[in-house]
Amino acid sequence: LETLERWTPTKDPGGGARTRTPNPLPYKRILDDIGELAIPGAVQALAFCKDVYGEGAIQMVPPYLLLAEANLDLRRLQQAEEFLSLANWTVLKNPDCSSAIRSQLHRNFGKLYSAQERFADALRELSKDVYHSALEVGPEHIDTSVGYFHMGNAFYGQQRIENALAMFDKVVEIWYKFLSSVRAEPERVEDFSEAQLNEGLDMLNRILEMRAKLLGQGHIATGEANYTVGLLLLFMGKHQDALKQVQAAHDVYENHLGPEHSSTSDVAEVLRQLQSSSVMFAEGDGGKPGEDGLPGTAGSAGPFGSILSSFPDNLPRAQTQSPIPLPPKSRQVATAESDDAMRMSPVDGVRR
């Protein structure tokens, strides 16, 4: 039964409140944009929970939320709202409900309201999501970063560009800190699922796209997004894709700050290590190709293979020019006028 639920209890890396990792199959299918296939598993989980725990039990909330997420993914907003209402009623009847569940409930309401273009309501719900997620796992946790990301989408929907960029900057910062900490504490890898990392990559790619759109490809903030995406790709074992992103980041920093700047040197060092590893893979290191067609390493184990062995030794964060300057006013107007042709859905980020 637990493998079908939305969250699985795990040990908290910081030794505090435990976190719940979104790694079951139905949720993975939602992240893979095949929400239709997630629905049967969630329905079965709901039936099991009802049989085991009884009607109105708090254990029924995760399947309700899975069904809501799947219907949001499929743009079936009325069905999603119905499942969220059922989940909300169950939470109201169980006042001792965990912050983790409350966080996900408010997050999904926020995504629903964003899809309905009720952005003020969405921001209210998403602020509650961030609050409860911070209580459960901390304000700097990658789970909490998802709430910041959706808040950024809602601000963007209101054309509050500065606020949106600030939220996106927070997401990038959290993921960079996470990648740095994993190098220092390799055992933390086990606390995070492949689905979480894929969700993070999806968010960071969309932030990169949004920064490039609003600020320009050559802006320092866009380069930092390139850099962070590259580090996450490297962490996931996708070395060739990582090389492209870090190379793009290096070009931005070198052009914007100059080759002698400390931030440029940091990115150049990671680029050098990636280029060296690419040569090693091209020459053959005795490993087997990974599932994504990239070379692996002999003796690798686990879903992420030899991630840690190829992760750079030093990961100083490239300095951000903060606060992020807004684009020229004329550019903001042009951005608003082009939204029909290039718009990010607040629910799934797919350009419609």
Side-chain angles (χ1 to χ4, degrees), residues 82-102:
E82 290 172 359
F83 285 117
L84 287 176
S85 296
L86 290 169
N88 188 49
W89 178 245
T90 304
V91 168
L92 289 174
K93 292 192 297 183
N94 293 270
D96 59 343
C97 174
S98 72
S99 291
I101 290 180
R102 292 181 188 275

Side-chain angles (χ1 to χ4, degrees), residues 93-248:
K93 292 192 297 183
N94 293 270
D96 59 343
C97 174
S98 72
S99 291
I101 290 180
R102 292 181 188 275
S103 169
Q104 293 299 323
L105 176 64
H106 290 299
R107 182 172 300 172
N108 280 286
F109 268 118
K111 290 163 65 177
L112 172 68
Y113 293 151
S114 288
Q116 296 171 336
E117 299 188 357
R118 297 165 55 186
F119 298 116
D121 292 332
L123 287 168
R124 185 185 65 251
E125 292 296 325
L126 291 167
S127 65
K128 294 177 182 178
D129 159 33
V130 170
Y131 170 75
H132 286 290
S133 182
L135 288 179
E136 184 73 14
V137 295
E140 303 292 316
H141 196 280
I142 63 172
D143 285 348
T144 308
S145 75
V146 182
Y148 295 128
F149 174 73
H150 289 299
M151 288 185 74
N153 284 337
F155 280 127
Y156 180 74
Q158 293 181 322
Q159 289 301 304
R160 295 166 65 182
I161 305 300
E162 187 173 9
N163 300 79
L165 289 173
M167 290 295 103
F168 294 151
D169 187 59
K170 186 64 177 177
V171 176
V172 173
E173 178 185 350
I174 288 173
W175 275 92
Y176 187 89
K177 288 180 178 178
F178 162 71
L179 293 168
S180 300
S181 67
V182 166
R183 176 59 182 172
E185 304 174 68
E187 65 277 5
R188 292 190 65 187
V189 172
E190 302 302 323
D191 293 316
F192 299 94
S193 69
E194 183 180 3
Q196 277 179 299
L197 298 180
N198 285 332
E199 184 178 31
L201 182 60
D202 190 51
M203 288 191 302
L204 290 173
N205 273 324
R206 284 170 181 141
I207 290 171
L208 170 60
E209 195 173 56
M210 192 61 65
R211 282 183 172 182
K213 173 185 174 183
L214 295 172
L215 303 173
Q217 289 283 356
H219 195 279
I220 191 68
T222 306
E224 185 189 44
N226 284 122
Y227 188 38
T228 308
V229 169
L231 293 177
L232 180 54
L233 287 166
L234 177 59
F235 177 75
M236 298 172 72
K238 300 179 179 180
H239 298 84
Q240 296 302 318
D241 291 335
L243 178 59
K244 293 177 184 177
Q245 292 292 341
V246 176
Q247 179 68 67

